[in-house]
Amino acid sequence: MNLPRDDRRVSTQRNRTITLLSLGHACVDVYQGAVAALVPFFVAERAYSYAAASGVVLAASLLSSVVQPLFGALTDRWAMPWLLPLSALTGGAGVALSGVMGSYALTLAAVAVSGVGVAAYHPEAARAARDAAHGSHTAMGWFSLGGNVGFALAPLLVAAVVGTGGLGATPLLVAPAVVGAALCAAAVRSAGTHGVPAGKDEGAGSDDWGSFLRLSGAVVCRSIVFVGLSAFVSLYVRQRTGGGAVAGTAALCVLYVGGAVGTVAGGRLADRYGRLAVVRQAYVLTVLAVAGVVLVPGPPVYLFVALTSAGLYVPFSLHVTLGQDYLPRRVGTASGVTLGLTVSVGGLFAPAVGALADATSLRTALAALVVLPALGRLLLCGLREPASIGPAVSPPPGSSGHSPHRASA
């Protein structure tokens, strides 16, 4: 059945804007993965200790995650589409300068600047993607996929550039930022309107902080599992399969590739079955899949790594839209928490997983992760599907009032 011309035009514009935002997201999130990928080069060329190298990662990731809710609060007060290209350039500039700074303190400052750029990008980008998606969870899945792809590509990019030219070549790493800034600027133009903060829209509903905090607790549980597996699944699969470095690397690739598939699948499933139903089932799948990773020996472990990846990533974009809809007057804050703060809290538990592995065994440490998605599933009990809020779009110049929110079916 053919769509009316106006509907086709809206659909085409939405797809174009989401595509641009997704590609821009990939360019920005390269810098979330690039700092960790630079660590071996800092150790090799500058003789950084492991503690010093960890400080570099912490300067970028922790600062980025903590200040994201602050930028979210700013975007709740003022619409700032110009922040998208500026933050992309800032994120890239910090990483580009990190390899040519003359001291450890200046290196920390450079990666901290990159972290702030990444932090500034996400709340406004998530709001812009929500506006462009017009209630489509599939569209939000594609936006989230861009970030996952950028993160996964970062080690390859760093290896190609710095592995060839040394730390002195890091200025070349600014290239994705320049491309990302251009894509973000094009996305803002493609949207054709400037979103207004949801809190400024009289049509926005009331904030449900209780549901939002329970959702955030579930996201923290998911984050701890993901960080723990990212850090140790490679070593663990090498032990379980008796393979070498290739076996471990293959497991990590399965974890990331499965995540890309899961992110898109999550949006499509949510459009059909509802967000909370899909999120709850994903947490149940994660419990079973992590148990399989721990208990199943030999090559079948790869199947359970893939299932774990799907369970962790299917709800990824749905967490963001649920958080936005639980806090319809604070969409930026909700985005900053679900995309930033909860991830950082999960990362803080990674040393605890490592300490447990040192005290017992790697298998025991990973077995403990099974409890977390079960706890996350319990936190989701009793939550109700919030009213899905559409874009808050400001009127064209010369007109008055706001376009009404469009609730998804």
Side-chain angles (χ1 to χ4, degrees):
M1 180 171 142
N2 292 328
L3 291 172
R5 180 177 299 176
D6 287 346
D7 287 348
R8 289 200 303 270
R9 181 179 57 81
V10 170
S11 178
T12 300
Q13 183 185 37
R14 182 191 72 183
N15 292 340
R16 172 179 167 80
T17 304
I18 287 293
T19 299
L20 290 169
L21 286 170
S22 180
L23 292 172
H25 195 184
C27 291
V28 172
D29 275 15
V30 160
Y31 301 107
Q32 282 200 317
V35 175
L38 283 168
V39 164
F41 298 99
F42 284 128
V43 172
E45 292 191 30
R46 297 184 178 178
Y48 283 178
S49 66
Y50 291 128
S54 298
V56 173
V57 176
L58 192 65
S61 61
L62 185 58
L63 181 61
S64 173
S65 299
V66 169
V67 301
Q68 272 194 55
L70 301 180
F71 280 103
L74 289 176
T75 62
D76 286 334
R77 293 180 62 86
W78 302 284
M80 297 186 290
W82 51 266
L83 192 58
L84 297 182
L86 178 61
S87 59
L89 291 173
T90 303
V95 166
L97 293 173
S98 65
V100 295
M101 288 298 184
S103 70
Y104 180 68
L106 289 177
T107 299
L108 291 182
V111 297
V113 167
S114 178
V116 170
V118 171
Y121 170 83
H122 282 97
E124 179 65 18
R127 184 200 61 77
R130 164 184 164 267
D131 284 356
H134 290 278
S136 169
H137 304 310
T138 300
M140 286 298 292
W142 283 108
F143 166 72
S144 298
L145 173 65
N148 296 333
V149 169
F151 185 87
L153 289 178
L156 299 177
L157 178 64
V158 170
V161 173
V162 183
T164 302
L167 287 174
T170 57
L172 297 176
L173 294 176
V174 78
V178 175
V179 174
L183 289 166
C184 289
V188 172
R189 289 195 301 270
S190 175
T193 56
H194 299 288
V196 299
K200 299 289 187 181
D201 191 336
E202 295 177 359
S206 59
D207 294 332
D208 183 355
W209 281 100
S211 296
F212 178 76
L213 291 174
R214 287 168 63 185
L215 174 70
S216 298
V219 179
V220 168
C221 292
R222 179 258 178 209
S223 176
I224 296 172
V225 176
F226 177 72
V227 172
L229 285 175
S230 297
F232 299 112
V233 73
S234 179
L235 292 172
Y236 180 72
V237 168
R238 289 172 65 176
Q239 294 176 5
R240 294 291 284 172
T241 63
V246 173
T249 301
L252 199 57
C253 288
V254 169
L255 184 67
Y256 288 149
V257 173
V261 175
T263 301
V264 175
R268 293 187 178 277
L269 290 170
D271 280 332
R272 183 168 184 178
Y273 299 107
R275 290 174 292 181
L276 275 177
V278 172
V279 170
R280 287 170 178 149
Q281 292 304 314
Y283 276 72
V284 173
L285 173 61
T286 304
V287 173
L288 300 175
V290 175
V293 170
V294 173
L295 298 175
V296 175
V301 72
Y302 290 103
L303 171 62
F304 287 97
V305 171
L307 291 174
T308 301
S309 180
L312 291 172
Y313 271 101
V314 159
F316 186 79
S317 66
L318 307 181
H319 288 146
V320 178
T321 60
L322 281 167
Q324 291 174 337
D325 289 348
Y326 282 131
L327 299 184
R329 293 183 175 273
R330 293 175 175 82
V331 168
T333 298
S335 302
V337 171
T338 52
L339 285 171
L341 186 59
T342 52
V343 174
S344 116
V345 172
L348 293 177
F349 279 85
V353 176
L356 180 59
D358 287 335
T360 56
S361 68
L362 188 54
R363 185 179 185 184
T364 300
L366 294 184
L369 298 179
V370 176
V371 177
L372 292 165
L375 176 59
R377 177 63 181 83
L378 288 176
L379 288 170
L380 295 170
C381 287
L383 289 184
R384 295 183 178 181
E385 183 79 27
S388 184
I389 50 178
V393 180
S394 61
S399 65
S400 60
H402 299 297
S403 298
H405 283 291
R406 174 180 174 269
S408 66

